[in-house]
Amino acid sequence: MAERSLTGSAPARAGLGAIALRIALIYISARVVTTVFLIVAAELSGPSSRFGADAGLVDLVLGWDARWYWIVAETGYPSELPRTESGAVAENQWAFMPVFAYLAKLISLPFGNWAVGAFVVSIVAGYAASLVLFSLLRDKIDDTAATWAVVFFAAGPLAALFQVGYAEALFLVWLLLALRCVLRRRYAWLYLLVPLMGFTRPGVLAFALFLALFGCWRFLTRAREPLPGREIVHIVLLGILAVVVGFSWQLLAGWVTGESGAYLATELAWRRNWIPGEASFFPLEGFVSAAAFWFGTVWRLGAVTGYVVLVTLVIAIAAVLLFVPQVKRLGVELRLWSVSYLIYLLLVFFPQSSIFRLLVPLSPLWGAFAVPRSPVWRGGVLVACLVGQWWWIYNMYALGNAIWQIP
């Protein structure tokens, strides 16, 4: 009720305008820094880099996976899967969802250049995500801490994603809006947001798990917060919708190509960049194989060491989400989302250099870094964010010539 009365009054509208301006100033400042980093990275790009010695900002915007989204926008999806010389399924467009690619194409029509559309979608989506993140966290922590969380988010190690042709920024808008709807028990919008998430980039199955865990938590705490029947219906139906959307792309790829495993085979084609030969998939296999690969084959520390590190890491992350006070301040819902997404990655992902980008949907956790009030702490986190951002841009864009330099 308080929110309804506030949003309907002139002073509140002025307050919302002030917040939007504050977030805009933070976001624009962060984008200036990122632009400088990208310009320097383009200048440092040499003959051995993926982008060559004459790289420019447009080349970086269209780099790596952005080129696949561009291909989707221009040519669509293949009805016949491409093959390597050995007969295995080659990398192709089915690994990339359509919403970002086609939205960027629509925005690019007045400019005649898909890269411009991709840049506009990403940078606007990044600002929208910053606004929603502030609103999401202000419900849990104070205004100042929520503002600092946006500072860390906008200037974070992966902030270049707000300026290149990747779908992450757009996905974050849908995700953060969806989490906000759950926090405020406004489920109707989720019937739109869940399909938007599912057809922007992979990850909606993690949201299905989140809804399942959230529903269990709501049932167990119904004495503290009443659980009306309509809310149960919404949670169940939305969970089913998220599962259906999550598997629908696989079914569509199979129907169009005539190969039931088209999508999975396409995703596994990328894994052969690290582990040559025929790749396979079953839950947890990616992380288990990667532990043996990185610690046993690459770093020569032994596969057993990799398994021990993996188990230790899982236990440590669980302890952080369960017991660290700053994380607990964010509330059960955001912690359940973090758990759900990490379980999803553990089940389906093969960890390599892209793991940093894959962790971006955990952005609500920036709130935990912003809770401590010490100026030294907050300044230190910001410096670490900027250093991490330059490290990521330098390695992925200025160099981009080693197995661990793929965003």
Side-chain angles (χ1 to χ4, degrees), residues 3-10 12-13:
E3 186 208 5
R4 291 176 187 172
S5 62
L6 284 173
T7 54
S9 65
R13 286 194 293 272

Side-chain angles (χ1 to χ4, degrees), residues 34-202:
T34 301
T35 300
V36 171
F37 285 168
L38 288 171
I39 291 172
V40 174
E43 289 294 322
L44 293 176
S45 178
S48 61
S49 167
R50 180 185 182 93
F51 299 95
D54 299 318
L57 281 178
V58 174
D59 300 302
L60 303 191
V61 171
L62 286 175
W64 298 108
D65 285 359
R67 188 163 296 274
W68 283 107
Y69 286 111
W70 181 29
I71 294 172
V72 168
E74 297 301 323
T75 67
Y77 295 90
S79 58
E80 182 177 344
L81 293 177
R83 302 279 174 175
T84 65
E85 292 182 358
S86 66
V89 173
E91 299 168 350
N92 65 85
Q93 298 97 296
W94 282 109
F96 302 91
M97 308 305 180
V99 171
F100 174 79
Y102 290 121
L103 179 58
K105 184 175 183 178
L106 178 64
I107 299 299
S108 73
L109 290 178
F111 307 100
N113 188 331
W114 185 86
V116 176
F119 171 79
V120 170
V121 171
S122 289
I123 202 164
V124 172
Y127 173 63
S130 299
L131 282 173
V132 182
L133 180 65
F134 175 83
S135 176
L136 187 71
L137 292 176
R138 194 176 59 167
D139 289 347
K140 300 296 182 180
I141 56 181
D142 62 72
D143 186 279
T144 301
T147 300
W148 273 101
V150 172
V151 171
F152 302 151
F153 172 70
L158 279 294
L161 292 172
F162 300 139
Q163 296 181 222
V164 297
Y166 272 68
E168 267 70 15
L170 188 60
F171 179 83
L172 276 176
V173 176
W174 313 138
L175 170 64
L176 296 175
L177 283 171
L179 291 173
R180 187 175 183 273
C181 287
V182 172
L183 259 67
R184 301 199 173 188
R185 311 297 188 252
R186 295 179 178 177
Y187 300 102
W189 283 103
L190 291 174
Y191 292 97
L192 172 63
L193 291 169
V194 165
L196 286 172
M197 278 193 287
F199 293 109
T200 298
R201 68 175 297 278

Side-chain angles (χ1 to χ4, degrees), residues 155-401:
L158 279 294
L161 292 172
F162 300 139
Q163 296 181 222
V164 297
Y166 272 68
E168 267 70 15
L170 188 60
F171 179 83
L172 276 176
V173 176
W174 313 138
L175 170 64
L176 296 175
L177 283 171
L179 291 173
R180 187 175 183 273
C181 287
V182 172
L183 259 67
R184 301 199 173 188
R185 311 297 188 252
R186 295 179 178 177
Y187 300 102
W189 283 103
L190 291 174
Y191 292 97
L192 172 63
L193 291 169
V194 165
L196 286 172
M197 278 193 287
F199 293 109
T200 298
R201 68 175 297 278
V204 74
L205 289 176
F207 199 79
L209 176 59
F210 162 68
L211 288 172
L213 295 177
F214 172 74
C216 292
W217 173 73
R218 286 289 290 113
F219 179 78
L220 293 173
T221 59
R222 64 192 185 280
R224 186 167 69 243
E225 180 184 352
L227 180 61
R230 65 179 180 278
E231 185 173 350
I232 297 174
V233 171
H234 277 309
I235 293 172
V236 172
L237 289 180
L238 287 165
I240 293 172
L241 176 62
V243 171
V244 170
V245 170
F247 285 104
S248 62
W249 190 249
Q250 300 182 38
L251 296 175
L252 181 62
W255 177 67
V256 172
T257 63
E259 299 187 38
S260 59
Y263 174 74
L264 185 57
T266 298
E267 289 285 4
L268 292 175
W270 268 265
R271 190 177 300 184
R272 286 193 294 272
N273 294 327
W274 285 269
I275 302 181
E278 288 297 325
S280 60
F281 172 80
F282 56 86
L284 294 177
E285 185 271 339
F287 265 84
V288 173
S289 296
F293 171 73
W294 289 108
F295 284 88
T297 304
V298 178
W299 298 326
R300 306 293 183 181
L301 298 175
V304 174
T305 302
Y307 301 144
V308 171
V309 170
L310 176 59
V311 172
T312 303
L313 188 61
V314 169
I315 294 172
I317 291 173
V320 168
L321 293 174
L322 285 172
F323 303 117
V324 172
Q326 291 84 357
V327 178
K328 292 174 69 175
R329 282 278 304 274
L330 303 181
V332 172
E333 297 92 342
L334 297 183
R335 292 156 68 204
L336 285 177
W337 160 249
S338 301
V339 168
S340 301
Y341 187 71
L342 288 170
I343 290 174
Y344 166 78
L345 288 184
L346 188 64
L347 290 175
V348 306
F349 186 59
F350 177 86
Q352 23 79 11
S353 57
S354 295
I355 189 67
F356 301 109
R357 175 171 57 85
L358 270 291
L359 293 176
V360 167
L362 296 175
S363 292
L365 292 179
W366 281 121
F369 288 88
V371 167
R373 295 177 179 273
S374 167
V376 174
W377 167 263
R378 287 170 171 168
V381 172
L382 178 57
V383 169
C385 285
L386 294 173
V387 170
Q389 184 182 159
W390 167 245
W391 179 90
W392 195 79
I393 290 173
Y394 175 70
N395 280 283
M396 306 304 169
Y397 289 95
L399 300 181
N401 56 7

